[in-house]
Amino acid sequence: MDWSKTKTIFIFAFLVLDLFLVWQYSQLVITNKYKNIQDASVTDQFKEEAITYPPLDDTPDLPPLKAERHLFTDEERSSLKEQEPAFKEQDPYRLAMKLVEPVKVDKDDLAKADTFVSAQLISGSEYVLWSYNRENSTITYFQRVNDRIVYQKSGDKQLGSIVLHLNENREIISYEQTYMDTADEEEQPQDTATALEALARLYNENDLKPKSEVTEMTLGYYTSQGQDIASQSLQPHWYVEINNKDFYFVNAYDTQVVRPNQQKKLE
């Protein structure tokens, strides 16, 4: 074996590797520098146009989730106390129950509704308050997965939601519940758009206008497919509320904007 020739080959190989690592590092520096310039430009533009927003936290890379509608078992149904089926024929994937004794909800405080959901409903502690619609006398909760809210399109067949129905005395008299079983999909987490990138997309789409206030911004998941789809993939979305009224969802993978054409009603 020609050791001199072998040594030369090794030296050349390591030289090529070193050059590649130097190039890769330089690209990373350039990318980060460009991103910092972009972020600075966005914040300067927002400041100039009097657009305000809450403090923005670091953004974790979230994986997509595989969600399947949950089949409520007879054991789960029988565990519900002081409740009875609202209909003779029950959807196996949807609970529709009425209360034997109504639960009073205070006019300006939904704490009793929160307690009822958490303590009396199946996996109730996994749901979070979304809206209170006085006109329809309903209170809606959305399911959380891995401490992230799964936002839903409005409708009567949501996947992973609880809807409480109140009478004229603001008493809970019945409810519907759906639940989703979830698992991480096998693919690796993708780069997740930052909160500032999501706001920039809304600004470029003319959804975030001058003198606006971003009143809430949360990273969660979003689905618009509803209960009829047995299995679906959930992608992370930024929930962005503007001026305590209008809200949007921004896909955290490709920054596409979802406009639900509805307003959050929490009065």
Side-chain angles (χ1 to χ4, degrees):
M1 179 180 291
D2 189 341
W3 289 107
S4 178
K5 185 176 181 180
T6 302
K7 181 179 178 181
T8 301
I9 292 174
F10 272 112
I11 292 174
F12 179 76
F14 279 113
L15 179 61
V16 171
L17 178 61
D18 288 342
L19 290 173
F20 172 75
L21 292 176
V22 169
W23 174 84
Q24 193 174 47
Y25 176 75
S26 66
Q27 292 300 306
L28 181 61
V29 171
I30 292 172
T31 299
N32 288 338
K33 183 177 180 181
Y34 177 67
K35 183 179 183 302
N36 290 335
I37 292 173
Q38 282 186 314
D39 289 350
S41 300
V42 171
T43 54
D44 289 343
Q45 186 68 29
F46 286 173
K47 186 175 181 180
E48 182 179 332
E49 300 200 23
I51 296 173
T52 59
Y53 49 87
L56 305 179
D57 297 328
D58 293 336
T59 305
D61 288 336
L62 296 183
L65 295 178
K66 180 181 180 181
E68 296 182 350
R69 57 185 181 177
H70 178 75
L71 176 66
F72 289 102
T73 65
D74 291 339
E75 183 179 0
E76 287 175 320
R77 293 174 185 273
S78 62
S79 69
L80 298 169
K81 306 302 181 184
E82 301 299 316
Q83 303 176 31
E84 56 188 33
F87 308 103
K88 288 185 178 180
E89 294 187 6
Q90 289 281 305
D91 183 337
Y93 299 100
R94 185 182 188 86
L95 286 177
M97 308 296 290
K98 57 183 179 181
L99 308 189
V100 175
E101 292 291 336
V103 175
K104 182 74 173 181
V105 175
D106 294 335
K107 181 178 180 180
D108 300 316
D109 187 359
L110 299 181
K112 289 185 178 179
D114 294 344
T115 300
F116 168 73
V117 169
S118 179
Q120 302 298 323
L121 273 59
I122 296 171
S123 301
S125 61
E126 297 180 27
Y127 294 78
V128 63
L129 176 65
W130 166 248
S131 67
Y132 178 20
N133 189 322
R134 291 180 182 272
E135 182 179 348
N136 295 330
S137 298
T138 57
I139 304 174
T140 301
Y141 292 77
F142 286 158
Q143 187 179 340
R144 287 181 298 188
V145 177
N146 300 334
D147 291 327
R148 302 285 178 182
I149 301 174
V150 181
Y151 297 101
Q152 310 273 323
K153 182 179 180 181
S154 63
D156 60 355
K157 291 190 176 182
Q158 295 172 331
L159 178 68
S161 71
I162 292 171
V163 179
L164 307 179
H165 296 274
L166 281 63
N167 61 17
E168 63 276 7
N169 298 319
R170 292 193 307 278
E171 296 174 324
I172 303 170
I173 56 174
S174 64
Y175 70 89
E176 291 96 32
Q177 178 182 5
T178 56
Y179 185 84
M180 67 181 82
D181 298 312
T182 61
D184 290 348
E185 293 193 341
E186 293 182 0
E187 61 184 274
Q188 294 297 316
Q190 301 181 36
D191 290 339
T192 303
T194 66
L196 196 59
E197 289 171 336
L199 292 180
R201 181 57 183 261
L202 288 173
Y203 174 80
N204 291 332
E205 295 282 334
N206 202 34
D207 295 308
L208 181 58
K209 297 177 173 58
K211 298 182 180 180
S212 292
E213 179 187 5
V214 178
T215 46
E216 185 178 344
M217 192 164 189
T218 309
L219 183 61
Y221 289 89
Y222 176 76
T223 175
S224 62
Q225 294 180 304
Q227 178 197 351
D228 289 339
I229 307 299
S231 178
Q232 56 184 280
S233 177
L234 307 179
Q235 292 189 344
H237 281 68
W238 283 102
Y239 165 74
V240 184
E241 182 180 282
I242 300 174
N243 298 326
N244 283 313
K245 183 179 66 173
D246 300 311
F247 64 91
Y248 306 87
F249 299 103
V250 181
N251 189 304
Y253 289 159
D254 60 15
T255 69
Q256 292 297 308
V257 179
V258 179
R259 300 173 179 85
N261 294 323
Q262 59 184 357
Q263 291 183 337
K264 183 178 179 182
K265 296 182 179 179
L266 187 56
E267 304 173 10

